[in-house]
Amino acid sequence: MRPVLLAAHLALAATLAARPAAAASLRAMVVLHAPVVRLSDLFDGAGPAADRVLGPGPAPGARIVVEAPQLAAIAQQFGVDWQPASPADRAVLERRGTLLPRAVVLAALRTALQGVGAPADGQIDLPGFSAPLVPPEADAQANVEQFDYQGASGRFTGVLAVAGKGMDMLRLRVSGTLTAMVELPVAVRRLVAGAVIGPADLRMMRLRAAPTQDAMVQDAAQATGLAVRRTVIAGQPLLRADLMRPRAVRRGARVMMQLEAPGLNVVAEGQALEPGGIGDSIQVMNPVSRAVVLAEIIGTDRVRVQPGSAPLRPADGRSLRYSGGFQGLVR
């Protein structure tokens, strides 16, 4: 029996030795991390030719579909032990892509703009620009070639060259404008006409430079404590001409008229003929004598008449001057 068993073992060994290596298997869905397609991207167990480059891969964000007949032809050409099980067999090769970060584009443009002496803190606008897709693992960087800048208009054009690990260099035209920026105080909230501006009502904001910017308030301290002549919406800068001292006296209001001189302090009631803020000079009438004098507002509903002031409109039509009292103003 021993010779028979030995012969059987030898026959089995010969049979196993004659069998081909394990068959390859199709990779139905593959994410590529290189710009080319290799044989191993299509088949597991592709054999000695696994690293053979078959051709360029899809662009980032795109895919290639290899159908059964082409797969069979590739397997036969490179000696891969694989046959399609059905006509539906296919391999989908996908290359992921991500948009080139806008920060990378802007950084490249700022470098180019600084190289031609353009403002470093200007705002870059790129109308119609579409960022290209790049492989996520590429760590793509960009620089600008053939750059042209028109300082008077702020317009520029150039070629954006994008390169990174495992990707072919991309070149695309880019054009836009550079706008100078300025930092100005703007209203935090809606300020109605007559509202007094406090420190919390303003914040600094970068705005596009404009021909009228010199007429605008440049510093929040210039506006704090003043009132607005007209309503200001949130986010709007302030014109100096739209600011005034807060109203301390309303037109038609009863005010206390005060005259001070060495050894003399006279107070009388008057009627304001004009509105104004502290420090403004307004016309005030003595309701008894009907004489009108120019007085300085020194507080809420309080005015001061300077000694020697002549009434602007005397009660009896004669010119009245101070000679130790409120002649014509106080009776």
Side-chain angles (χ1 to χ4, degrees), residues 149-221:
Y149 174 65
Q150 304 296 324
S153 63
R155 294 189 178 92
F156 60 81
T157 60
V159 175
L160 190 69
V162 183
K165 181 181 178 181
M167 63 173 287
D168 295 330
M169 179 171 285
L170 301 175
R171 283 187 169 86
L172 59 154
R173 292 200 63 80
V174 61
S175 62
T177 56
L178 178 73
T179 304
M181 303 294 288
V182 62
E183 197 166 79
L184 296 174
V186 300
V188 172
R189 59 181 179 85
R190 185 172 180 265
L191 302 173
V192 298
V196 178
I197 299 172
D201 293 326
L202 301 176
R203 66 183 177 90
M204 300 303 291
M205 177 183 286
R206 290 183 75 241
L207 301 170
R208 292 173 178 266
T212 58
Q213 72 183 52
D214 290 340
M216 297 177 182
V217 175
Q218 305 294 313
D219 192 308

Side-chain angles (χ1 to χ4, degrees), residues 11-201:
L12 178 58
T15 301
L16 292 174
R19 289 184 179 178
S25 59
L26 177 66
R27 302 184 66 187
M29 179 66 71
V30 179
V31 175
L32 299 176
H33 298 283
V36 296
V37 178
R38 301 181 185 277
L39 187 64
S40 57
D41 293 323
L42 298 177
F43 304 104
D44 281 326
D51 289 334
R52 182 68 176 269
V53 175
L54 303 180
R63 58 172 52 182
I64 293 175
V65 179
V66 186
E67 302 290 352
Q70 188 176 3
L71 289 169
I74 292 172
Q76 182 177 5
Q77 179 180 354
F78 295 101
V80 179
D81 184 20
W82 181 85
Q83 288 291 329
S86 77
D89 280 349
R90 53 164 42 181
V92 178
L93 307 176
E94 181 179 274
R95 195 168 186 206
R96 290 176 182 168
T98 184
L99 290 174
L100 180 69
R102 187 176 181 84
V104 172
V105 178
L106 294 180
L109 288 170
R110 289 201 184 280
T111 299
L113 286 163
Q114 290 174 14
V116 295
D121 61 345
Q123 177 172 305
I124 297 175
D125 293 314
L126 300 172
F129 175 76
S130 297
L133 286 170
V134 297
E137 67 278 2
D139 189 25
Q141 300 299 316
N143 63 78
V144 181
E145 304 170 345
Q146 304 174 31
F147 190 67
D148 179 65
Y149 174 65
Q150 304 296 324
S153 63
R155 294 189 178 92
F156 60 81
T157 60
V159 175
L160 190 69
V162 183
K165 181 181 178 181
M167 63 173 287
D168 295 330
M169 179 171 285
L170 301 175
R171 283 187 169 86
L172 59 154
R173 292 200 63 80
V174 61
S175 62
T177 56
L178 178 73
T179 304
M181 303 294 288
V182 62
E183 197 166 79
L184 296 174
V186 300
V188 172
R189 59 181 179 85
R190 185 172 180 265
L191 302 173
V192 298
V196 178
I197 299 172
D201 293 326

Side-chain angles (χ1 to χ4, degrees), residues 233-250:
I233 62 174
Q236 179 178 334
L238 306 173
L239 289 172
R240 286 196 293 266
D242 287 342
L243 300 180
M244 62 181 181
R245 295 186 181 94
R247 291 281 170 84
V249 174
R250 293 178 295 103

